[in-house]
Amino acid sequence: MQKRANNEFELGGFNHVSLLCDDMQRSVEFYRDVLGMPLIKTVDLPKRPGGGQQFVFDVGNGASLTLFWLANPTDGRPGHFNPPAGDQDPNVPQWNAAISSLNHVAFEVAPDKFDEYYLRLKEKGVGVGPIRNHDDSEAQEAEELHPGVYCRSFYFRDPDGVLLEFACWTRELTDEDVVHEPKTAADRVATATA
């Protein structure tokens, strides 16, 4: 992936992404034991109402994934801030999620390891969706890998139903890949009334 300059801030990528979990032990078993992420820090949070925990996993290149367990979390709104019960199919990203909610977390994998990792997760009993070859066709996906595919990915879920993705860039992105005008809140209203 070509590095592009940020003229405002010198960012080094993500420091961490934080998720809430229902059962820290179950989540540790998934992220550490199934996905192989080293657990690098644990924190007890006794000052939270009822208490809590924070566990940090190394996801590579200096980035981390932080999981929080809270004794008194707020209730989610099924279908808005979390997937509805029973809708845990890794084939179906939650594109109808509410604004400010998390859609999914994608982990960068090396292109030459992509197919191996897909099979490895299946062998570990993780339900994985189909491999997606993202391209600029009308369907936005190709059945087969070809020179126009710019990213390959597949989805799966953690024990709490958070949608995760393994993804890899397959070609260099250039200025020619930036061709769309950004939509606004007004565009959403116009689409809803059309």
Side-chain angles (χ1 to χ4, degrees):
M1 174 58 90
Q2 176 184 0
K3 294 184 180 189
R4 306 210 182 178
N6 179 333
N7 296 323
E8 299 295 327
F9 301 97
E10 291 183 32
L11 303 178
F14 286 105
N15 178 280
H16 68 275
V17 172
S18 293
L19 302 173
L20 292 178
C21 69
D22 182 49
D23 183 317
M24 185 65 84
Q25 181 177 348
R26 182 180 68 181
S27 293
V28 167
E29 290 168 357
F30 180 78
Y31 285 98
R32 183 192 60 203
D33 302 339
V34 175
L35 297 185
M37 295 179 185
L39 179 60
I40 59 173
K41 177 72 175 166
T42 62
V43 179
D44 193 35
L45 304 169
K47 294 185 179 181
R48 301 275 178 170
Q53 293 183 312
Q54 176 185 7
F55 281 47
V56 184
F57 299 84
D58 184 341
V59 299
N61 291 328
S64 60
L65 175 72
T66 299
L67 294 180
F68 283 93
W69 176 89
L70 302 175
N72 295 309
T74 59
D75 289 333
R77 293 177 43 205
H80 294 278
F81 296 113
N82 60 332
D87 189 15
Q88 303 300 309
D89 186 348
N91 301 322
V92 185
Q94 296 300 313
W95 302 122
N96 62 342
I99 293 183
S100 83
S101 66
L102 175 74
N103 185 277
H104 68 277
V105 177
F107 298 104
E108 176 72 25
V109 298
D112 63 333
K113 298 286 188 181
F114 181 83
D115 292 315
E116 174 189 337
Y117 290 176
Y118 180 81
L119 294 174
R120 190 181 302 173
L121 280 180
K122 287 180 86 168
E123 289 168 0
K124 290 178 177 247
V126 176
V128 295
I131 292 176
R132 298 173 183 265
N133 296 308
H134 305 277
D135 66 7
D136 291 323
S137 69
E138 186 174 332
Q140 297 182 331
E141 288 184 28
E143 294 282 328
E144 302 292 327
L145 192 58
H146 63 82
V149 171
Y150 59 87
C151 179
R152 300 184 81 205
S153 71
F154 62 85
Y155 294 100
F156 56 101
R157 292 189 184 276
D158 84 349
D160 290 301
V162 174
L163 190 64
L164 304 174
E165 179 182 26
F166 276 1
C168 65
W169 298 109
T170 57
R171 67 171 175 84
E172 199 68 39
L173 299 181
T174 67
D175 290 339
E176 286 76 38
D177 288 297
V178 181
V179 297
H180 301 91
E181 291 297 320
K183 300 284 187 187
T184 68
D187 292 322
R188 186 178 314 102
V189 172
T191 301
T193 59

